[in-house]
């Protein structure tokens, strides 16, 4: 099918179609936190939405003193959570930049996470934020039985998070990233952990996408036939299973999970299942994420190339 003209451009903002969140981001950039308080307060019983909104807002606030002012003026579970989110982002950025303040910022971030969890003990979000920092000090808890490589890592911290929310998406992704080679792990450990976690999850859970994430992370363009890996029966079957069991559940989400959809669409295109990929791209609409496309080249070019393979319009 010939691609029609694409109206407008891709929307890369992480708020995607959460219009309330997008408007709150504008307020946060302007130094106002009241709308952020309201947007987060309504998520106390929706941990997926709480994780999504707090992470996006933290990326907007990390370079300002907004969360410190908010916490001083209105101590609450929401202001404490935002301080934790911002503190963790600052600590990770400092560590990655080899900033001499990294250790001090990590201590501040850990204290901020502890305060946030104390103010709302049922909330797994501060614990997921702690998992993001695990790669900075590399804990070596023994792995449970059932993993071929028995990789050591932050298993105790992960288990505590899952006790609050067994299928917390961000916690699973943070935990898996600990085993990526760029953070000191190995390809085999990452695949092992991704398969272990995915097999435990319900068929309609986003956790089922973890093996596709690990596959992209391990991509090595110098290997022979590297681009053909997704055509292998095991990976094609994995992508199709996720398409049939998880993708229909997306209609019930309160925001479009663009990043997860992008991983699925990419896997389907690479597996030469353009019919199914077309449906996933349609669910994404104009919203886009830089991963996984940036692993293979310029994100917008790679995304457009994949859409054209499915007969879908792209920006003119």
């Amino acid at each position: 099918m010939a691609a029609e003209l694409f109206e407008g451009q891709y929307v890369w903002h992480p708020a995607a179609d959460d219009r309330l969140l997008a408007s709150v981001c504008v307020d946060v950039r302007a130094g106002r936190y009241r709308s952020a308080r309201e947007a987060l307060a309504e998520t106390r019983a929706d941990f997926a939405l709480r994780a999504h909104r707090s992470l996006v807002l933290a990326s907007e606030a990390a370079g300002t003193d907004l969360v410190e002012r908010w916490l001083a003026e209105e101590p609450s579970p929401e202001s404490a959570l935002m301080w934790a989110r911002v503190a963790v982002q600052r600590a990770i950025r400092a560590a990655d930049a080899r900033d001499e303040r990294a250790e001090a910022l990590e201590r501040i971030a850990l204290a901020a996470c502890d305060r946030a969890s104390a103010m709302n003990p049922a909330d797994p979000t501060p614990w997921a934020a702690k998992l993001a920092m695990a790669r900075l000090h590399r804990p070596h808890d023994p792995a449970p039985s059932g993993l071929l490589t028995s990789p050591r890592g932050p298993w105790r911290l992960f288990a505590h998070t899952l006790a609050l929310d067994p299928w917390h998406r961000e916690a699973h992704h943070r935990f898996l990233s600990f085993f990526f080679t760029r953070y000191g792990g190995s390809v085999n450990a990452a695949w092992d952990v991704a398969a272990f976690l995915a097999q435990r999850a319900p068929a309609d859970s986003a956790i089922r996408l973890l093996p596709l994430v690990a596959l992209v992370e391990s991509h090595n363009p110098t290997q022979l036939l590297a681009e053909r890996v997704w055509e292998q029966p095991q990976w094609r079957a994995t992508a199709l299973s996720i398409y049939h069991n998880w993708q229909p559940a997306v209609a019930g989400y309160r925001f479009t999970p663009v990043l997860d959809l992008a991983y699925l669409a990419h896997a389907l295109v690479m597996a030469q299942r353009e019919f199914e990929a077309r449906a996933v791209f349609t669910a994404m609409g104009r919203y886009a994420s830089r991963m996984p496309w940036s692993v293979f080249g310029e994100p917008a070019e790679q995304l457009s190339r994949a859409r054209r393979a499915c007969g879908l319009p792209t920006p003119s």
Side-chain angles (χ1 to χ4, degrees):
M1 184 180 297
E4 300 172 0
L5 289 177
F6 189 87
E7 295 182 2
Q9 300 293 321
Y10 296 130
V11 177
W12 300 94
H13 197 286
D17 58 348
D18 187 342
R19 295 182 179 179
L20 174 60
L21 177 59
S23 67
V24 172
C25 286
V26 175
D27 283 346
V28 168
R29 286 195 293 270
R32 300 186 293 267
Y33 62 76
R34 295 191 184 281
S35 62
R37 176 190 61 201
E38 296 168 2
L40 288 177
E42 73 172 33
T43 68
R44 289 189 185 182
D46 187 337
F47 296 142
L49 188 61
R50 191 170 183 83
H52 170 63
R53 285 184 174 176
S54 60
L55 187 60
V56 172
L57 291 175
S59 66
E60 299 285 354
T64 73
D65 66 347
L66 182 139
V67 294
E68 286 85 355
R69 288 192 292 106
W70 182 6
L71 188 63
E73 295 171 8
E74 295 185 4
S76 69
E78 283 65 50
S79 59
L81 175 60
M82 282 303 301
W83 182 45
R85 283 296 212 181
V86 165
V88 167
Q89 287 202 13
R90 291 171 179 166
I92 291 175
R93 290 175 184 175
D96 290 345
R98 301 186 183 278
D99 191 311
E100 61 183 9
R101 301 169 297 169
E103 289 188 10
L105 289 172
E106 184 181 356
R107 288 194 296 270
I108 292 172
L110 289 171
C113 290
D114 288 341
R115 178 169 181 174
S117 61
M119 295 192 75
N120 188 359
D123 186 4
T125 320
W127 297 93
K130 274 189 177 183
L131 278 169
M133 290 191 296
R135 64 180 175 86
L136 303 183
H137 49 270
R138 307 295 302 175
H140 282 75
D141 307 333
S145 59
L147 287 96
L148 296 175
T149 59
S150 299
R152 291 178 172 266
W155 291 96
R156 283 195 290 266
L157 178 57
F158 184 53
H160 186 95
T161 312
L162 299 194
L164 298 173
D165 184 2
W167 312 120
H168 196 276
R169 180 200 173 280
E170 182 184 346
H172 280 78
H173 278 264
R174 297 294 191 189
F175 182 70
L176 175 61
S177 69
F178 176 90
F179 300 96
F180 290 167
T181 54
R182 56 187 160 124
Y183 298 142
S186 70
V187 170
N188 288 339
W191 278 349
D192 198 8
V193 170
F196 176 76
L197 298 178
Q199 289 166 5
R200 294 173 61 253
D204 62 351
S205 169
I207 306 305
R208 290 280 181 157
L209 285 115
L210 290 179
L212 299 184
V213 176
L215 185 58
V216 169
E217 185 67 26
S218 67
H219 176 66
N220 182 354
T222 65
Q223 290 182 339
L224 184 65
L225 301 178
E227 304 290 332
R228 305 293 296 272
V229 172
W230 284 263
E231 296 177 33
Q232 294 177 6
Q234 69 183 90
W235 293 115
R236 181 174 286 166
T238 296
L240 288 173
S241 176
I242 296 168
Y243 170 78
H244 289 297
N245 294 294
W246 170 73
Q247 200 268 339
V250 170
Y253 282 35
R254 291 186 63 181
F255 63 94
T256 300
V258 176
L259 181 58
D260 289 336
L261 289 168
Y263 272 101
L264 178 56
H266 169 266
L268 290 168
V269 170
M270 297 292 281
Q272 298 185 1
R273 298 297 302 222
E274 289 84 1
F275 175 81
E276 291 84 357
R278 181 185 175 95
V280 179
F281 279 128
T282 300
M284 291 169 61
R286 294 191 299 124
Y287 300 101
S289 63
R290 303 201 178 276
M291 287 291 287
W293 315 109
S294 60
V295 172
F296 304 88
E298 200 283 322
E301 292 178 3
Q302 294 296 316
L303 174 56
S304 291
R305 178 182 177 185
R307 287 178 61 92
R308 284 194 295 269
C310 300
L312 288 170
T314 60
S316 57

